[in-house]
Amino acid sequence: MAQGSVAGLAGSGARLLELAAVVSRLQAVCPWTQAQGSASMLAFTRTELVETEEAMAASSGAVGVAHAEATAHLESELGDVLFDVLMLIEACSKDHGTGGLERVCSASVAKLRRRAPYAFDGGPKVQTANDTDRLWQAGKDAERAERAASETQLLAAPFPASRATPAQQDLTQGPSPGVATGTANVLIGSLSLLAGETEDEDEGLEEWRQDLARDLAVDSALDDSDDTSSQGSD
């Protein structure tokens, strides 16, 4: 990673908002955009990823002026991927009732709080890539425990008067604070073992545990399709 690239990413918020505004405007005024669904936008996104892979290969083998041109082309392809992802988010909101860019970003940050807690204030310290892999897996294990607790609560609920099946009940409300806090405690215990820390050594963990419990309480509808062990594939 090039030096300063993280600061550059964080400082690009205005441009990202500008692009998101363009996508939103297209939804209102562009007939082609309005005709696209989540399936078609997913296909377009896959195509752009292939083109980005090709541009990456070209950039890696180029030097001098050719490298500058290849880099500019790669930036263009990456922009196409970003644009298509934003379009896909909007299409999923239309086709599947998801909450749009704000909800998607919130879900992503909440997941990273669980799986990469060292990136947030009060989180554990890491020294090696192996540390990050184990913390990532501990976060996934906590998510599974939280889902299992929510499903148990749902199945144990009284049969509704409307005769709706448990599967038809609204699953968007999240677990009770007790379930979320318990799941957070499971994760904190795993982190303490993995990172070799205790409550006395890091007072910030208690505040982080409370934040994690809150995030779990509002982000319980997690996608089971990300159950691979690799960080990059999730």
Side-chain angles (χ1 to χ4, degrees):
M1 179 180 293
Q3 185 175 5
S5 62
V6 174
L9 181 61
S12 301
R15 289 299 187 188
L16 181 58
L17 289 175
E18 182 181 11
L19 179 58
V22 172
V23 171
S24 180
R25 180 64 176 164
L26 287 172
Q27 299 291 329
V29 303
C30 177
W32 183 90
T33 299
Q34 294 168 354
Q36 301 311 306
S38 55
S40 63
M41 286 314 308
L42 181 60
F44 289 134
T45 303
R46 286 171 173 159
T47 298
E48 292 300 340
L49 286 171
V50 172
E51 294 179 2
T52 298
E53 183 180 18
E54 295 170 350
M56 289 170 59
S59 177
S60 298
V63 295
V65 175
H67 182 266
E69 293 176 349
T71 299
H73 178 58
L74 175 57
E75 289 173 347
S76 176
E77 293 298 339
L78 288 168
D80 290 344
V81 170
L82 181 56
F83 171 75
D84 278 0
V85 167
L86 292 176
M87 291 278 286
L88 177 59
I89 290 172
E90 287 296 305
C92 284
S93 178
K94 178 176 63 176
D95 292 352
H96 304 284
T98 54
L101 181 59
E102 183 175 359
R103 288 277 295 275
V104 169
C105 289
S106 296
S108 182
V109 171
K111 180 177 287 187
L112 288 171
R113 281 186 180 275
R114 294 187 294 270
R115 299 187 181 188
Y118 46 85
F120 299 86
D121 292 340
K125 305 298 185 294
V126 293
Q127 299 296 329
T128 68
N130 190 47
D131 292 338
T132 66
D133 287 342
R134 289 188 293 177
L135 290 173
W136 189 272
Q137 187 59 48
K140 293 178 68 173
D141 290 343
E143 291 167 8
R144 293 191 187 96
E146 186 274 332
R147 288 199 299 270
S150 295
E151 291 169 359
T152 299
Q153 281 193 341
L154 181 62
L155 293 174
F159 195 80
S162 64
R163 295 192 293 180
T165 66
Q168 294 170 323
Q169 296 182 31
D170 184 7
L171 302 181
T172 63
Q173 299 302 313
S176 67
V179 172
T181 302
T183 305
N185 287 332
V186 170
L187 178 54
I188 292 297
S190 299
L191 296 179
S192 297
L193 291 174
L194 291 169
E197 299 185 13
T198 65
E199 292 181 0
D200 293 335
E201 291 171 337
D202 191 351
E203 296 179 355
L205 278 176
E206 173 58 24
E207 180 179 354
W208 177 67
R209 182 193 66 78
Q210 296 173 1
D211 290 340
L212 179 64
R214 182 197 63 233
D215 289 335
L216 286 169
V218 300
D219 185 45
S220 62
L222 298 171
D223 187 357
D224 288 324
S225 66
D226 64 356
D227 284 336
T228 60
S229 59
S230 169
Q231 291 188 33
S233 63
D234 284 14

